Amino acid sequence: MSDILNHLAQTLEARKGADAGQSYVASLYAKGLDAILKKIGEEAGETLIAAKNGEPQAVVHEVADLWFHTLVLLAHQGLGPQDILDELARRHGVSGHLEKAGRKKPSD
């Protein structure tokens, strides 16, 4: 499952040096964090609407868009899908309530 995520992460990393006029991802990087976050917000909203409308195939398309733009954010922040997979593995088998309560707060 993570092969496609790793491949996408490599492609997104390569796009950091691409021409913004030739690459959608490079254009997002060039526009900066606010543009990337705006796309994530848009895709999250579209995902919610598709789910609310009971459109399974639309949900698949919108979640794919949401994941893609989230991967762009991760790359922009110097992170990758493995960071998320590691965190999910760390949480696996732990109560969500306990896991959340045990997180360090930014002020800690």
XYZ file of all heavy atoms in Angstrom:
815
model
N 0.817 -1.199 0.000
C 0.000 0.000 0.000
C 0.859 1.261 0.000
O 0.554 2.207 -0.671
C -0.940 0.006 1.194
C -1.768 1.281 1.257
S -3.104 1.265 2.424
C -2.271 1.610 3.930
N 1.934 1.271 0.746
C 2.718 2.493 0.849
C 3.610 2.739 -0.363
O 4.215 3.794 -0.461
C 3.549 2.490 2.129
O 4.486 1.437 2.099
N 3.704 1.779 -1.298
C 4.540 1.993 -2.477
C 4.092 3.221 -3.271
O 4.922 4.033 -3.679
C 4.532 0.769 -3.385
C 5.310 -0.397 -2.802
O 6.065 -0.187 -1.824
O 5.162 -1.510 -3.314
N 2.791 3.362 -3.486
C 2.312 4.518 -4.241
C 2.545 5.803 -3.448
O 2.878 6.840 -4.027
C 0.828 4.369 -4.675
C 0.421 5.508 -5.619
C -0.097 4.310 -3.482
C 1.182 5.562 -6.913
N 2.388 5.746 -2.141
C 2.654 6.936 -1.326
C 4.121 7.340 -1.426
O 4.439 8.527 -1.566
C 2.263 6.687 0.129
C 0.781 6.503 0.414
C 0.562 6.210 1.897
C -0.024 7.705 -0.017
N 5.011 6.354 -1.367
C 6.437 6.657 -1.479
C 6.777 7.200 -2.861
O 7.574 8.136 -2.994
C 7.270 5.424 -1.160
C 7.216 5.076 0.306
O 7.102 5.943 1.158
N 7.271 3.798 0.605
N 6.182 6.618 -3.893
C 6.421 7.100 -5.253
C 5.922 8.543 -5.403
O 6.620 9.403 -5.968
C 5.755 6.179 -6.269
C 5.961 6.614 -7.677
N 7.168 6.488 -8.328
C 5.117 7.199 -8.554
C 7.060 6.978 -9.549
N 5.819 7.413 -9.711
N 4.725 8.805 -4.910
C 4.195 10.177 -4.961
C 5.095 11.136 -4.190
O 5.357 12.254 -4.656
C 2.780 10.227 -4.397
C 1.664 9.843 -5.340
C 0.345 9.714 -4.581
C 1.523 10.853 -6.465
N 5.562 10.718 -3.022
C 6.431 11.573 -2.224
C 7.709 11.923 -2.981
O 8.158 13.075 -2.960
C 6.758 10.900 -0.893
N 8.273 10.955 -3.671
C 9.479 11.210 -4.468
C 9.182 12.183 -5.610
O 9.966 13.093 -5.891
C 10.036 9.898 -5.015
C 10.606 8.993 -3.953
C 10.911 7.600 -4.479
O 10.632 7.253 -5.619
N 11.485 6.773 -3.612
N 8.040 11.993 -6.251
C 7.655 12.887 -7.346
C 7.431 14.302 -6.824
O 7.881 15.282 -7.440
C 6.381 12.368 -8.044
O 6.655 11.056 -8.553
C 5.938 13.278 -9.169
N 6.745 14.412 -5.699
C 6.483 15.738 -5.124
C 7.775 16.431 -4.722
O 7.911 17.645 -4.888
C 5.541 15.616 -3.930
C 4.133 15.146 -4.259
C 3.334 14.920 -2.978
C 3.421 16.112 -5.186
N 8.709 15.673 -4.207
C 10.009 16.235 -3.847
C 10.723 16.752 -5.094
O 11.290 17.847 -5.091
C 10.862 15.185 -3.129
C 12.091 15.735 -2.459
C 11.803 16.723 -1.344
O 10.794 16.585 -0.633
O 12.614 17.672 -1.195
N 10.674 15.983 -6.172
C 11.313 16.392 -7.424
C 10.675 17.654 -8.001
O 11.344 18.446 -8.655
C 11.243 15.255 -8.440
N 9.396 17.831 -7.758
C 8.684 18.999 -8.292
C 9.091 20.304 -7.611
O 8.806 21.377 -8.107
C 7.169 18.830 -8.170
C 6.587 17.720 -9.016
C 6.681 18.029 -10.506
N 5.893 17.108 -11.295
C 6.316 15.955 -11.774
N 7.550 15.557 -11.532
N 5.532 15.186 -12.499
N 9.772 20.213 -6.476
C 10.214 21.428 -5.792
C 11.122 22.268 -6.684
O 11.140 23.487 -6.579
C 10.920 21.094 -4.480
C 9.976 20.643 -3.394
C 10.726 20.373 -2.106
C 9.770 20.006 -0.994
N 10.478 19.722 0.272
N 11.861 21.619 -7.555
C 12.758 22.346 -8.438
C 12.211 22.549 -9.834
O 12.915 23.049 -10.706
N 10.965 22.185 -10.055
C 10.376 22.271 -11.397
C 9.883 23.688 -11.693
O 9.730 24.521 -10.803
C 9.221 21.274 -11.521
N 9.627 23.918 -12.955
C 9.093 25.189 -13.425
C 7.619 25.288 -13.023
O 6.807 24.431 -13.370
C 9.242 25.238 -14.948
C 8.666 26.488 -15.591
O 8.074 27.330 -14.892
O 8.813 26.616 -16.819
N 7.280 26.343 -12.304
C 5.900 26.527 -11.831
C 4.915 26.665 -12.982
O 3.729 26.367 -12.828
C 5.812 27.736 -10.910
N 5.391 27.072 -14.150
C 4.519 27.177 -15.314
C 4.242 25.836 -15.973
O 3.303 25.701 -16.753
N 5.045 24.834 -15.630
C 4.918 23.512 -16.237
C 4.385 22.452 -15.273
O 4.018 21.369 -15.702
C 6.280 23.052 -16.761
C 6.873 23.967 -17.811
C 6.047 23.969 -19.083
O 5.626 22.925 -19.559
N 5.796 25.149 -19.622
N 4.383 22.765 -13.978
C 4.002 21.771 -12.978
C 3.015 22.375 -11.990
O 3.300 23.398 -11.359
C 5.251 21.290 -12.224
O 4.888 20.587 -11.048
N 1.866 21.720 -11.854
C 0.860 22.160 -10.891
C 1.440 22.176 -9.480
O 1.257 23.137 -8.719
C -0.362 21.236 -10.956
C -1.343 21.459 -9.837
C -2.121 22.614 -9.797
C -1.478 20.529 -8.812
C -3.018 22.831 -8.755
C -2.379 20.737 -7.782
C -3.137 21.884 -7.756
O -4.019 22.109 -6.728
N 2.152 21.108 -9.107
C 2.728 21.026 -7.766
C 3.763 22.121 -7.553
O 3.775 22.774 -6.510
C 3.324 19.625 -7.506
C 4.084 19.580 -6.194
C 2.222 18.580 -7.521
N 4.620 22.345 -8.540
C 5.609 23.419 -8.426
C 4.919 24.761 -8.261
O 5.395 25.626 -7.517
C 6.528 23.425 -9.646
N 3.782 24.943 -8.929
C 3.058 26.212 -8.776
C 2.502 26.356 -7.363
O 2.481 27.460 -6.806
C 1.940 26.341 -9.816
O 0.859 25.482 -9.542
N 2.064 25.248 -6.756
C 1.615 25.328 -5.356
C 2.774 25.683 -4.431
O 2.631 26.538 -3.547
C 1.005 23.997 -4.911
C -0.423 23.706 -5.325
C -0.838 22.306 -4.868
C -1.393 24.737 -4.773
N 3.916 25.027 -4.629
C 5.085 25.358 -3.813
C 5.449 26.836 -3.974
O 5.763 27.507 -3.002
C 6.291 24.509 -4.201
C 6.217 23.047 -3.828
C 6.704 22.082 -4.705
C 5.701 22.616 -2.619
C 6.673 20.733 -4.378
C 5.663 21.269 -2.290
C 6.149 20.335 -3.172
O 6.121 19.008 -2.851
N 5.402 27.329 -5.200
C 5.769 28.726 -5.462
C 4.807 29.699 -4.780
O 5.218 30.769 -4.329
C 5.805 28.985 -6.965
N 3.543 29.318 -4.708
C 2.545 30.182 -4.060
C 2.667 30.148 -2.539
O 2.170 31.045 -1.864
C 1.143 29.768 -4.477
C 0.852 30.054 -5.938
C -0.513 29.504 -6.321
C -0.739 29.616 -7.818
N -1.978 28.932 -8.239
N 3.271 29.102 -2.010
C 3.533 29.043 -0.580
C 2.504 28.284 0.240
O 1.529 27.728 -0.278
N 2.747 28.284 1.523
C 1.969 27.506 2.468
C 0.479 27.847 2.434
O -0.365 26.955 2.466
C 2.519 27.694 3.884
C 1.832 26.903 4.995
C 1.909 25.400 4.732
C 2.443 27.253 6.344
N 0.145 29.116 2.358
C -1.275 29.495 2.367
C -2.043 28.867 1.208
O -3.174 28.423 1.376
C -1.448 31.014 2.353
C -1.110 31.652 3.694
O -0.943 30.919 4.695
O -1.005 32.892 3.742
N -1.436 28.815 0.027
C -2.097 28.219 -1.140
C -2.282 26.716 -0.949
O -3.330 26.164 -1.303
C -1.296 28.498 -2.414
N -1.287 26.068 -0.372
C -1.385 24.633 -0.116
C -2.490 24.358 0.901
O -3.323 23.472 0.708
C -0.029 24.069 0.365
C 1.026 24.206 -0.740
C -0.162 22.611 0.812
C 2.455 23.975 -0.279
N -2.512 25.134 1.966
C -3.536 24.952 2.995
C -4.935 25.232 2.450
O -5.894 24.542 2.803
C -3.248 25.858 4.193
C -1.954 25.551 4.947
C -1.722 26.586 6.036
C -1.956 24.145 5.507
N -5.046 26.223 1.578
C -6.346 26.529 0.964
C -6.842 25.332 0.154
O -8.024 24.971 0.226
C -6.225 27.759 0.063
C -7.527 28.158 -0.587
C -7.362 29.402 -1.440
C -8.680 29.723 -2.124
N -8.543 30.818 -3.070
N -5.949 24.688 -0.604
C -6.348 23.514 -1.390
C -6.790 22.375 -0.476
O -7.778 21.694 -0.772
C -5.204 23.044 -2.298
C -4.995 23.877 -3.521
C -6.236 23.987 -4.395
C -6.713 22.671 -4.943
N -7.902 22.776 -5.789
N -6.096 22.178 0.631
C -6.497 21.125 1.561
C -7.879 21.422 2.120
O -8.726 20.536 2.206
C -5.452 20.951 2.688
C -4.159 20.366 2.097
C -5.993 20.061 3.803
C -2.999 20.328 3.059
N -8.126 22.668 2.478
C -9.443 23.059 2.971
C -10.534 22.833 1.944
O -11.612 22.318 2.265
N -10.249 23.191 0.695
C -11.225 22.987 -0.384
C -11.530 21.499 -0.568
O -12.694 21.107 -0.684
C -10.695 23.560 -1.704
C -10.658 25.066 -1.759
C -9.939 25.580 -3.009
O -9.638 24.774 -3.926
O -9.676 26.789 -3.065
N -10.481 20.702 -0.605
C -10.674 19.268 -0.826
C -11.382 18.615 0.356
O -12.201 17.702 0.167
C -9.339 18.584 -1.120
C -8.616 19.095 -2.354
C -9.417 19.033 -3.640
O -10.432 18.324 -3.710
O -9.021 19.718 -4.602
N -11.094 19.066 1.563
C -11.793 18.530 2.736
C -13.281 18.847 2.651
O -14.128 17.979 2.907
C -11.189 19.093 4.019
N -13.604 20.074 2.265
C -15.004 20.453 2.112
C -15.705 19.646 1.033
O -16.848 19.204 1.216
N -15.036 19.434 -0.084
C -15.613 18.640 -1.169
C -15.806 17.186 -0.741
O -16.784 16.543 -1.141
C -14.744 18.748 -2.419
C -14.804 20.140 -3.035
C -13.782 20.371 -4.130
O -13.046 19.423 -4.496
O -13.709 21.508 -4.630
N -14.903 16.690 0.096
C -15.051 15.331 0.623
C -16.299 15.233 1.500
O -17.083 14.282 1.381
C -13.796 14.922 1.426
O -12.659 14.954 0.555
C -13.942 13.539 2.030
N -16.486 16.210 2.340
C -17.661 16.229 3.218
C -18.958 16.267 2.418
O -19.914 15.543 2.728
C -17.599 17.437 4.155
C -16.454 17.460 5.149
C -16.425 18.786 5.890
C -16.546 16.305 6.117
N -18.987 17.093 1.392
C -20.190 17.201 0.563
C -20.479 15.891 -0.159
O -21.620 15.428 -0.194
C -20.061 18.377 -0.422
C -20.087 19.702 0.352
C -21.167 18.338 -1.476
C -19.652 20.903 -0.450
N -19.444 15.276 -0.723
C -19.631 13.996 -1.417
C -20.168 12.937 -0.458
O -21.061 12.162 -0.810
C -18.320 13.536 -2.050
N -19.635 12.896 0.750
C -20.100 11.926 1.737
C -21.537 12.222 2.145
O -22.368 11.305 2.225
C -19.186 11.937 2.959
N -21.834 13.472 2.381
C -23.186 13.863 2.794
C -24.201 13.537 1.702
O -25.327 13.135 1.993
C -23.212 15.366 3.117
C -24.516 15.891 3.593
C -24.795 15.448 4.997
C -26.043 16.163 5.507
N -26.508 15.591 6.739
N -23.780 13.662 0.440
C -24.662 13.369 -0.690
C -24.765 11.873 -0.980
O -25.496 11.475 -1.889
C -24.201 14.110 -1.938
C -24.439 15.597 -1.843
O -25.240 16.070 -1.040
N -23.715 16.354 -2.651
N -24.033 11.062 -0.247
C -24.095 9.612 -0.444
C -23.564 9.165 -1.787
O -24.115 8.269 -2.410
N -22.459 9.786 -2.219
C -21.852 9.483 -3.514
C -20.508 8.780 -3.301
O -19.467 9.436 -3.274
C -21.665 10.765 -4.312
C -22.961 11.516 -4.570
C -22.735 12.889 -5.181
O -21.573 13.321 -5.331
O -23.746 13.541 -5.497
N -20.498 7.461 -3.162
C -19.258 6.743 -2.837
C -18.107 7.012 -3.808
O -16.967 7.193 -3.376
C -19.670 5.271 -2.854
C -21.140 5.280 -2.607
C -21.650 6.553 -3.225
N -18.384 7.018 -5.117
C -17.288 7.237 -6.066
C -16.752 8.661 -5.958
O -15.546 8.893 -6.082
C -17.723 6.928 -7.497
C -16.565 6.782 -8.455
C -15.563 5.709 -8.032
O -15.931 4.618 -7.620
N -14.289 6.012 -8.118
N -17.638 9.611 -5.699
C -17.192 10.995 -5.491
C -16.349 11.094 -4.221
O -15.367 11.847 -4.178
C -18.391 11.937 -5.427
N -16.715 10.325 -3.191
C -15.913 10.311 -1.967
C -14.506 9.813 -2.280
O -13.512 10.397 -1.835
C -16.580 9.450 -0.865
C -15.631 9.246 0.311
C -17.880 10.082 -0.401
N -14.407 8.756 -3.067
C -13.091 8.226 -3.439
C -12.272 9.304 -4.159
O -11.095 9.533 -3.826
C -13.234 6.960 -4.324
C -11.897 6.564 -4.938
C -13.814 5.816 -3.508
N -12.872 9.969 -5.134
C -12.150 11.008 -5.882
C -11.717 12.155 -4.976
O -10.583 12.637 -5.066
C -13.017 11.551 -7.025
C -13.230 10.569 -8.117
N -14.391 10.514 -8.846
C -12.449 9.588 -8.612
C -14.312 9.550 -9.733
N -13.136 8.970 -9.603
N -12.618 12.590 -4.108
C -12.295 13.726 -3.244
C -11.266 13.369 -2.179
O -10.388 14.185 -1.864
C -13.563 14.303 -2.613
C -14.564 14.865 -3.611
C -14.002 15.916 -4.550
O -12.963 16.552 -4.239
O -14.607 16.113 -5.625
N -11.355 12.169 -1.629
C -10.337 11.760 -0.652
C -8.979 11.632 -1.339
O -7.951 12.006 -0.768
C -10.748 10.462 0.081
C -9.585 9.906 0.899
C -11.951 10.725 0.990
N -8.960 11.135 -2.566
C -7.694 11.068 -3.310
C -7.111 12.471 -3.482
O -5.900 12.680 -3.287
C -7.902 10.395 -4.667
N -7.962 13.446 -3.812
C -7.493 14.836 -3.931
C -6.990 15.358 -2.586
O -5.959 16.039 -2.507
C -8.614 15.750 -4.432
C -8.960 15.534 -5.890
O -8.188 14.872 -6.613
O -10.025 16.040 -6.313
N -7.731 15.038 -1.527
C -7.339 15.483 -0.187
C -6.009 14.879 0.219
O -5.123 15.588 0.711
C -8.434 15.107 0.816
C -8.194 15.472 2.272
C -7.974 16.962 2.454
C -9.371 14.987 3.119
N -5.839 13.581 0.014
C -4.569 12.928 0.345
C -3.430 13.517 -0.483
O -2.343 13.761 0.032
C -4.653 11.426 0.110
C -5.410 10.662 1.147
C -6.321 11.138 2.052
C -5.330 9.264 1.378
N -6.808 10.119 2.810
C -6.225 8.950 2.429
C -4.614 8.240 0.779
C -6.389 7.662 2.901
C -4.787 6.946 1.251
C -5.657 6.667 2.304
N -3.684 13.736 -1.777
C -2.644 14.284 -2.646
C -2.161 15.631 -2.123
O -0.958 15.870 -1.983
C -3.162 14.423 -4.086
C -2.162 15.046 -5.005
C -1.168 14.275 -5.586
C -2.191 16.400 -5.282
C -0.221 14.840 -6.421
C -1.249 16.983 -6.125
C -0.265 16.197 -6.686
N -3.105 16.516 -1.840
C -2.711 17.847 -1.383
C -2.087 17.804 0.008
O -1.223 18.619 0.335
C -3.897 18.809 -1.468
C -4.215 19.164 -2.876
N -5.125 18.445 -3.622
C -3.715 20.123 -3.696
C -5.170 18.967 -4.843
N -4.332 19.982 -4.913
N -2.487 16.836 0.824
C -1.852 16.649 2.127
C -0.408 16.179 1.936
O 0.491 16.612 2.670
C -2.658 15.659 2.983
O -3.982 16.181 3.156
C -2.019 15.459 4.349
N -0.170 15.330 0.947
C 1.202 14.919 0.640
C 2.038 16.109 0.173
O 3.229 16.210 0.497
C 1.209 13.811 -0.410
C 0.729 12.445 0.067
C 0.514 11.510 -1.122
C 1.691 11.845 1.070
N 1.427 17.023 -0.573
C 2.127 18.252 -0.973
C 2.522 19.038 0.277
O 3.652 19.524 0.396
C 1.263 19.111 -1.928
C 1.918 20.470 -2.183
C 1.026 18.380 -3.246
N 1.597 19.161 1.221
C 1.896 19.856 2.476
C 3.046 19.184 3.215
O 3.965 19.859 3.686
C 0.657 19.902 3.372
C 0.896 20.419 4.787
C 1.319 21.879 4.779
C -0.339 20.209 5.644
N 2.991 17.864 3.324
C 4.059 17.148 4.011
C 5.406 17.446 3.363
O 6.385 17.748 4.059
C 3.788 15.643 4.012
C 2.639 15.168 4.898
C 2.387 13.681 4.667
C 2.917 15.443 6.363
N 5.461 17.363 2.043
C 6.716 17.634 1.337
C 7.172 19.073 1.577
O 8.362 19.324 1.790
C 6.553 17.358 -0.156
N 6.241 19.988 1.556
C 6.553 21.403 1.804
C 7.170 21.582 3.194
O 8.039 22.430 3.384
C 5.284 22.245 1.659
C 5.507 23.712 1.822
N 6.114 24.482 0.858
C 5.200 24.545 2.834
C 6.167 25.731 1.271
N 5.619 25.799 2.472
N 6.724 20.769 4.145
C 7.205 20.852 5.522
C 8.434 19.981 5.780
O 8.888 19.868 6.914
C 6.083 20.434 6.477
C 4.847 21.307 6.418
C 5.042 22.628 7.125
O 5.574 22.675 8.212
N 4.625 23.698 6.494
N 8.922 19.314 4.727
C 10.083 18.448 4.894
C 9.737 17.094 5.512
O 10.597 16.442 6.105
N 8.488 16.700 5.373
C 8.006 15.427 5.902
C 7.562 14.541 4.758
O 7.470 15.000 3.621
C 6.828 15.668 6.857
C 7.129 16.547 8.071
C 5.842 16.983 8.742
C 8.037 15.806 9.040
N 7.257 13.298 5.078
C 6.787 12.385 4.045
C 5.786 11.406 4.614
O 5.515 11.392 5.823
N 5.236 10.559 3.756
C 4.229 9.608 4.211
C 4.743 8.659 5.284
O 3.971 8.240 6.147
C 3.820 8.858 2.948
C 4.791 9.218 1.907
C 5.476 10.464 2.331
N 6.029 8.340 5.274
C 6.553 7.432 6.290
C 6.417 8.032 7.680
O 6.190 7.303 8.654
C 8.009 7.052 6.004
C 8.494 5.902 6.868
C 7.667 4.638 6.658
O 7.478 4.186 5.531
N 7.171 4.052 7.734
N 6.528 9.341 7.799
C 6.342 9.989 9.097
C 4.935 9.730 9.636
O 4.749 9.474 10.826
C 6.589 11.497 8.987
C 8.018 11.816 8.620
O 8.923 11.480 9.411
O 8.228 12.377 7.529
N 3.952 9.788 8.745
C 2.563 9.557 9.147
C 2.340 8.072 9.450
O 1.693 7.722 10.444
C 1.588 10.033 8.052
C 1.864 11.497 7.679
C 0.140 9.826 8.489
C 1.901 12.464 8.827
N 2.884 7.203 8.603
C 2.740 5.768 8.842
C 3.385 5.366 10.170
O 2.830 4.548 10.911
C 3.329 4.974 7.678
C 2.601 5.140 6.342
C 3.388 4.456 5.221
C 1.185 4.612 6.418
N 4.531 5.959 10.485
C 5.184 5.670 11.766
C 4.313 6.115 12.939
O 4.199 5.412 13.942
C 6.547 6.351 11.845
C 7.577 5.753 10.913
O 7.355 4.638 10.372
O 8.620 6.413 10.707
N 3.699 7.278 12.797
C 2.831 7.777 13.860
C 1.598 6.890 14.021
O 1.180 6.589 15.148
C 2.421 9.226 13.584
C 1.464 9.814 14.600
C 2.018 9.917 16.029
O 3.231 9.727 16.249
O 1.211 10.179 16.949
N 1.012 6.464 12.921
C -0.139 5.560 12.999
C 0.254 4.234 13.641
O -0.500 3.678 14.448
C -0.742 5.339 11.609
C -1.462 6.546 11.013
C -1.821 6.269 9.555
C -2.689 6.926 11.816
N 1.436 3.735 13.309
C 1.916 2.491 13.914
C 2.114 2.671 15.417
O 1.785 1.780 16.210
C 3.216 2.040 13.252
N 2.627 3.838 15.809
C 2.833 4.114 17.231
C 1.499 4.101 17.974
O 1.392 3.609 19.091
C 3.520 5.473 17.409
C 3.842 5.818 18.873
C 4.306 7.255 19.023
N 3.242 8.217 18.810
C 2.279 8.525 19.695
N 2.228 7.907 20.861
N 1.365 9.437 19.409
N 0.466 4.616 17.349
C -0.848 4.714 17.985
C -1.636 3.409 17.952
O -2.572 3.244 18.719
C -1.691 5.768 17.272
C -1.172 7.162 17.415
C -2.089 8.094 16.668
N -1.591 9.448 16.645
C -2.279 10.467 16.167
N -3.492 10.271 15.667
N -1.771 11.677 16.185
N -1.274 2.513 17.045
C -2.044 1.282 16.863
C -2.159 0.501 18.170
O -1.171 0.247 18.846
C -1.410 0.405 15.788
C -2.185 -0.834 15.500
N -3.377 -0.809 14.831
C -1.949 -2.113 15.828
C -3.844 -2.037 14.753
N -2.991 -2.853 15.347
N -3.376 0.134 18.509
C -3.619 -0.652 19.704
C -3.705 0.159 20.981
O -3.831 -0.407 22.066
N -3.627 1.480 20.850
C -3.715 2.361 22.017
C -5.061 3.079 21.959
O -5.468 3.565 20.903
C -2.568 3.407 22.008
C -2.679 4.368 23.170
C -1.216 2.715 21.989
N -5.725 3.154 23.094
C -6.980 3.886 23.155
C -6.778 5.307 22.645
O -5.800 5.978 23.007
C -7.482 3.939 24.599
O -8.403 4.987 24.785
N -7.685 5.764 21.790
C -7.602 7.131 21.280
C -7.632 8.160 22.388
O -6.937 9.179 22.326
N -8.417 7.895 23.421
C -8.483 8.822 24.555
C -7.146 8.893 25.281
O -6.665 9.979 25.611
C -9.586 8.403 25.533
C -10.964 8.489 24.972
N -11.535 9.662 24.543
C -11.903 7.529 24.772
C -12.763 9.433 24.100
N -13.005 8.140 24.217
N -6.545 7.728 25.508
C -5.259 7.705 26.199
C -4.153 8.312 25.350
O -3.302 9.045 25.855
C -4.881 6.269 26.579
C -5.730 5.601 27.665
C -5.305 4.143 27.852
C -5.626 6.363 28.968
N -4.158 8.001 24.070
C -3.122 8.534 23.178
C -3.175 10.058 23.160
O -2.154 10.713 23.308
C -3.302 7.955 21.772
C -2.158 8.274 20.829
C -2.177 9.683 20.275
O -3.276 10.216 20.000
O -1.080 10.269 20.129
N -4.367 10.603 23.005
C -4.506 12.060 22.939
C -4.108 12.705 24.257
O -3.437 13.730 24.275
C -5.923 12.437 22.551
C -6.075 13.913 22.272
C -7.419 14.240 21.669
C -7.483 15.722 21.345
N -8.743 16.076 20.723
N -4.522 12.101 25.362
C -4.177 12.645 26.685
C -2.673 12.620 26.938
O -2.150 13.474 27.661
C -4.904 11.869 27.775
N -1.971 11.677 26.320
C -0.538 11.535 26.544
C 0.329 12.405 25.652
O 1.548 12.456 25.825
N -0.273 13.096 24.692
C 0.536 13.948 23.797
C 1.084 15.142 24.536
O 0.443 15.739 25.382
C -0.328 14.476 22.638
C -0.716 13.441 21.645
C -1.456 14.109 20.497
N -2.324 13.129 19.861
C -3.240 13.449 18.947
N -3.405 14.700 18.586
N -3.970 12.517 18.424
N 2.316 15.507 24.161
C 2.897 16.720 24.712
C 2.218 17.922 24.070
O 1.976 17.942 22.873
C 4.396 16.776 24.425
C 5.213 15.840 25.258
C 6.684 16.126 25.027
C 7.500 15.310 25.980
N 8.917 15.668 25.894
N 1.952 18.891 24.883
C 1.394 20.138 24.371
C 2.551 20.988 23.855
O 3.679 20.880 24.344
C 0.625 20.852 25.463
C -0.607 20.086 25.898
C -1.355 20.819 26.988
C -2.602 20.094 27.389
N -2.445 18.751 27.871
N 2.302 21.859 22.843
C 3.398 22.676 22.298
C 4.145 23.477 23.351
O 5.303 23.754 23.199
C 2.674 23.609 21.311
C 1.435 22.873 20.930
C 1.039 22.079 22.149
N 3.486 23.825 24.450
C 4.143 24.619 25.492
C 4.991 23.768 26.432
O 5.707 24.303 27.262
C 3.084 25.382 26.302
O 2.193 24.469 26.914
N 4.898 22.420 26.330
C 5.662 21.527 27.216
C 7.133 21.533 26.866
O 7.568 21.623 25.801
C 5.128 20.084 27.145
C 3.767 19.966 27.824
O 3.359 20.921 28.492
O 3.123 18.909 27.654
